[in-house]
Amino acid sequence: MTFEQFQQSLQNQHPPDVTDYLKALWHDGKGNWEKAHHIIQDIEDKTAAWIHAYLHRKEGDLWNADYWYNRAGKKRPDISLQEEWTTLINTLL
């Protein structure tokens, strides 16, 4: 799947057959932050921590976001949320 195909899938009612990481980002792309957070919050690895950090950054809870970026081994990026969403997806595809 390409980034463009992933982005086009946002027009569908259900996510494509992808990993839970990408499903969380798909739901976020559809505007359902709660569903995205619900999917990612119980996965215990650095990739999930990065997505979790991004979601809390999007929420505006920067203290919590920084905690999760640290768990992911990353620093909070100085890019837009859209750019980080795109980077996450391209990294995971």
Side-chain angles (χ1 to χ4, degrees):
M1 173 176 277
T2 66
F3 176 78
E4 290 75 22
Q5 290 170 323
F6 184 85
Q7 218 172 10
Q8 288 172 354
S9 77
L10 294 172
Q11 297 173 16
N12 300 333
Q13 200 167 16
H14 301 287
D17 186 22
V18 292
T19 64
D20 284 344
Y21 306 121
L22 287 166
K23 282 180 188 168
L25 292 165
W26 186 88
H27 284 288
D28 177 64
K30 294 279 282 185
N32 193 342
W33 186 97
E34 292 291 334
K35 178 74 172 174
H37 188 260
H38 178 75
I39 291 170
I40 214 66
Q41 70 182 351
D42 293 326
I43 302 173
E44 296 285 334
D45 63 25
K46 287 187 176 201
T47 300
W50 183 16
I51 297 167
H52 205 156
Y54 156 80
L55 289 170
H56 282 293
R57 177 176 170 233
K58 185 172 188 177
E59 179 189 33
D61 186 352
L62 297 182
W63 179 90
N64 204 357
D66 288 343
Y67 168 82
W68 288 104
Y69 281 118
N70 186 52
R71 296 232 2 216
K74 298 186 175 293
K75 299 271 186 203
R76 182 177 357 129
D78 189 23
I79 58 176
S80 73
L81 289 165
Q82 182 62 44
E83 288 173 301
E84 187 174 14
W85 185 82
T86 299
T87 299
L88 278 159
I89 291 165
N90 280 320
T91 300
L92 296 169
L93 283 176

